[in-house]
Amino acid sequence: MITRRTFLGSAAATAGLAATTATAQTYLVPDQQLPRVVQINRDYAPGELHVEPDAFKLYWMLGPGLALEYAVGIGRAGLYESGDFRIKAKKEWPSWTPTPDMIARDPGSYKRYEDGMEGGINNPLGARALYLFRGNRDTFLRIHGTNAPRTIGTAVSNGCVRLLNSHITDLYTRVPMNSRAVLH
């Protein structure tokens, strides 16, 4: 089992990341939200990502019935999109542009970013992002980091799956291109 100290120390050292916001600097991750190796009774293949929205968990399958479990935040009611996807792009400190639907739903929050936002510590996609595709079509869904740690374990996003920046940085190094990602 990965201990809290080992995981956080290795993730920060590997990524060279410091806490990126005042909120992140003072937030202590609850034990139940720390990544850990777990046994699960599911028929998921090794090398796949599976998001179980009701549990707010993402599983990176290590072997039959064995997974690395991460706590996640998901899309709010009506915006979470289940499906079978492939990771066709991976980006460190990705740029972000809100979708036209996001701007239409909440222009006060998103209109000012319609031309995009550079990657960095204040970017909503956080430190890393895995881009979800269907065939060769970008779905605009992402598995990404967040600087809002209190949103983990909640349904508040515009459809994406979010992890703490240190957790997505760890997951990012594990997931190869073209990996299967299933949002249940």
Side-chain angles (χ1 to χ4, degrees), residues 40-52:
I40 62 171
N41 188 17
R42 319 274 197 299
D43 191 23
Y44 300 158
E48 293 182 346
L49 289 164
H50 288 268
V51 176
E52 294 186 359

Side-chain angles (χ1 to χ4, degrees), residues 14-15 70 90 92 128 130 167-176:
T14 301
Y70 297 88
K90 295 171 55 171
E92 297 182 13
R128 306 287 184 271
L130 306 173
H167 298 178
I168 189 61
T169 300
D170 176 70
L171 180 64
Y172 181 93
T173 64
R174 297 172 188 277
V175 178

Side-chain angles (χ1 to χ4, degrees), residues 48 81-86 133-135 139 179-183:
E48 293 182 346
E81 184 178 337
S82 60
D84 200 324
F85 307 93
R86 291 284 172 176
F133 281 70
R134 281 201 175 111
T139 64
S179 293
R180 183 178 184 219
V182 181
L183 278 56

Side-chain angles (χ1 to χ4, degrees), residues 37-40 42-48 60-68:
V37 176
V38 296
Q39 297 243 307
I40 62 171
R42 319 274 197 299
D43 191 23
Y44 300 158
E48 293 182 346
W60 170 244
M61 297 307 298
L62 302 172
L66 190 65
L68 186 51

Side-chain angles (χ1 to χ4, degrees), residues 91-103:
K91 296 187 181 173
E92 297 182 13
W93 297 107
S95 61
W96 169 74
T97 303
T99 66
D101 286 345
M102 290 170 67
I103 295 169

Side-chain angles (χ1 to χ4, degrees), residues 137-161:
R137 185 181 64 83
D138 185 353
T139 64
F140 298 102
L141 294 174
R142 312 286 185 249
I143 298 172
H144 64 81
T146 184
N147 292 323
R150 285 177 171 67
T151 64
I152 300 303
T154 66
V156 297
S157 81
N158 280 288
C160 294
V161 176

